[in-house]
Amino acid sequence: AGDNIINSNEESSVIISGTGESGSTVTIIVSDEGTGSVSQTTSVQPDGTWSVVVDTSSLLDGDLIIDASATNGIDNAAASHTVEHITSTTVTLNTPIAGDTSSLL
């Protein structure tokens, strides 16, 4: 949390938030570099803020693209905003470790 990396402990409850016109509907689509995506829809609160919790566990490890778009009550669409977010939920170890001269017992 706070490191801009979604790890395996965080991937089922990623909070995405922003601001918009009160009463507007915001649609958030989070997609991976393959064909996977998840979406959530929410309303902008009277104070102009919105927030959703997204489960990204079904998406591939790697960069995620977050696209948020808003529509107000009379169907005027705001420009969508796309953010790339780097994620990592796996670690790969190469053996032997470069420079390690000890042998395994």
Side-chain angles (χ1 to χ4, degrees), residues 27-72:
T27 301
I28 294 82
I29 300 171
V30 181
S31 54
D32 58 30
E33 295 180 311
T35 60
S37 68
V38 292
S39 64
Q40 292 282 348
T41 300
T42 190
S43 296
V44 179
Q45 300 302 306
D47 67 357
T49 62
W50 59 265
S51 176
V52 294
V53 177
V54 179
D55 182 349
T56 62
S57 62
S58 65
L59 302 177
L60 297 174
D61 291 347
D63 290 347
L64 295 181
I65 299 168
I66 303 170
D67 184 65
S69 59
T71 305
N72 69 10

